[in-house]
Amino acid sequence: MFGISEIAIFLVIVVLIFGARKLPELARSLGKSARILKSEARALKSDTTSPATTADGHEKDTGNPRVIRGTATEKPGPN
């Protein structure tokens, strides 16, 4: 894919464009975005599979929070 020299050149260009002060904030934002993407992919995968049930027919608690899409907990009021 990419060699070490190409990655080094890319990093130098990124430092020149964004500056050394903005790099930690940029890396934090990138990490947060990657975590969100990973959790959404897991939620999508778990939505496609049938939920695990116990012998009495109740849904088994897997320890993961359930995501209910399409509902809002609060409506913003006029300000």
Side-chain angles (χ1 to χ4, degrees), residues 22-44:
K22 289 284 185 176
L23 284 181
E25 181 182 331
L26 185 64
R28 230 177 278 119
S29 175
L30 185 63
K32 187 182 287 188
S33 299
R35 273 185 261 126
I36 291 171
L37 180 64
K38 191 175 183 180
S39 69
E40 287 296 322
R42 281 187 191 147
L44 183 62

Side-chain angles (χ1 to χ4, degrees), residues 6-49:
E6 287 90 0
I7 293 173
I9 291 170
F10 177 74
L11 289 175
V12 168
I13 291 172
V14 167
V15 169
L16 290 174
I17 291 174
F18 292 108
R21 293 182 190 169
K22 289 284 185 176
L23 284 181
E25 181 182 331
L26 185 64
R28 230 177 278 119
S29 175
L30 185 63
K32 187 182 287 188
S33 299
R35 273 185 261 126
I36 291 171
L37 180 64
K38 191 175 183 180
S39 69
E40 287 296 322
R42 281 187 191 147
L44 183 62
K45 187 175 182 181
S46 70
D47 285 348
T48 59
T49 61

